[in-house]
Amino acid sequence: MTYEAEKIVPYSDSENKGVQVERMFDSIAENYDTLNHTLSMGIDRGWRKKGLTALKKLNPQSILDIATGTGDLAIQAYDLLKPQSILGTDISEGMMEVGRQKAAKAGLSEVIRFERQDCMNLQLEDNSFDAAMVAFGVRNFEDLDKGLKEILRVLKPGAQLMILELTSPQNFPMKQAYWLYSKLFIPTIGRLISKDKTAYSYLPKSIKAFIQGKDMVSTLLKNGFKEASYKTYTFGICTMYLASK
């Protein structure tokens, strides 16, 4: 099955989505954190905390952070959960290099490691992790079903997956307000701060196209996860999904 979001790509050329997403994030890595916190007005930190708190009861000691980017979630996960190890994976070395510097500055280089990995084909052993997490990255998957199956494979039995993703509010007046925000504010601020004018036009398009709510829960179940559920935050701008192996 091909999902609509898999057809949304950053650039109009013949490269596949994964290659284009890697190039896009490499190009905005230097300014990504500033852009991210500006566009969310700092609310993203609170969303991450809520997602990590949902994993706390499992007391995970080995955590996989898919699409780790610049490592914000990984660092926040260590602060809140104190696991023995966190592996951050991403296809963008530019983003992860920023993450490595942040982890080193926080004295966490021994706990948080970064590896270039394609989540469609993880070079990791079966049943390796107590928990996995993806913050604002699943909509960039080139093949959502394949990526979810790979995450399931490397989780231990009973382990949990936590996903945070940007979503489109469905109710008045937030639906209308968010439309203006995504059509005007995101691309404008993105162009002002980022060198890549295309990246922040891609963002609202990918959010709009991505499945959400009950449809995402059904997709998690279809790909082998159990006990899948979701919860929305900030009037539906962000959604957390939880599922178990």
Side-chain angles (χ1 to χ4, degrees):
M1 177 178 178
T2 300
Y3 299 93
E4 193 62 32
E6 293 171 357
K7 303 174 188 176
I8 306 297
V9 295
Y11 308 107
S12 298
D13 56 32
S14 59
E15 293 174 313
N16 64 34
K17 180 165 182 170
V19 172
Q20 293 189 52
V21 168
E22 178 181 2
R23 179 150 55 95
M24 179 187 74
F25 280 115
D26 280 345
S27 75
I28 64 175
E30 183 181 347
N31 298 309
Y32 178 79
D33 285 340
T34 300
L35 278 161
N36 200 31
H37 299 319
T38 300
L39 290 172
S40 71
M41 291 169 275
I43 302 172
D44 59 304
R45 295 182 180 91
W47 294 336
R48 289 186 179 90
K49 184 176 181 180
K50 289 177 186 296
L52 293 169
T53 300
L55 295 175
K56 199 168 187 178
K57 61 184 178 182
L58 292 175
N59 191 30
Q61 293 304 300
S62 57
I63 299 176
L64 175 63
D65 183 20
I66 298 280
T68 187
T70 61
D72 271 1
L73 185 65
I75 292 169
Q76 204 166 340
Y78 178 78
D79 291 340
L80 190 67
L81 304 176
K82 295 294 189 293
Q84 292 179 1
S85 65
I86 300 173
L87 175 61
T89 66
D90 206 293
I91 56 174
S92 170
E93 279 288 358
M95 295 282 279
M96 286 192 294
E97 186 54 37
V98 176
R100 290 185 186 102
Q101 294 171 16
K102 285 158 65 174
K105 187 176 180 180
L108 297 175
S109 295
E110 296 299 313
V111 180
I112 302 175
R113 295 184 299 111
F114 294 87
E115 284 184 11
R116 189 190 183 284
Q117 293 263 2
D118 183 351
C119 61
M120 306 302 114
N121 185 27
L122 293 169
Q123 302 302 300
L124 300 168
E125 293 184 6
D126 296 358
N127 308 311
S128 301
F129 296 92
D130 298 321
M133 53 193 190
V134 192
F136 317 117
V138 290
R139 71 177 184 281
N140 298 319
F141 283 14
E142 185 175 321
D143 186 327
L144 178 60
D145 289 336
K146 193 173 182 180
L148 291 175
K149 285 185 173 75
E150 274 293 273
I151 296 171
L152 184 72
R153 178 182 66 79
V154 301
L155 285 174
K156 296 177 182 177
Q160 202 163 44
L161 167 64
M162 185 278 292
I163 294 171
L164 289 168
E165 192 50 85
L166 296 171
T167 44
S168 303
Q170 299 300 303
N171 299 318
F172 178 86
M174 280 304 297
K175 182 177 181 179
Q176 287 72 19
Y178 186 77
W179 184 88
L180 289 171
Y181 170 80
S182 63
K183 288 289 184 180
L184 300 175
F185 186 72
I186 291 177
T188 301
I189 296 298
R191 282 192 293 270
L192 286 173
I193 300 177
S194 172
K195 293 181 292 183
D196 192 323
K197 295 180 181 179
T198 306
Y200 288 88
S201 297
Y202 164 78
L203 176 61
K205 291 176 185 176
S206 66
I207 296 168
K208 183 180 179 181
F210 193 68
I211 57 173
Q212 60 187 62
K214 293 179 181 178
D215 290 336
M216 183 60 179
V217 166
S218 296
T219 299
L220 287 163
L221 295 172
K222 180 185 76 172
N223 284 291
F225 286 92
K226 301 182 295 185
E227 300 167 351
S229 62
Y230 75 98
K231 186 173 184 179
T232 61
Y233 300 110
T234 318
F235 307 104
I237 295 173
C238 177
T239 302
M240 176 183 71
Y241 301 93
L242 288 175
S244 300
K245 179 170 179 177

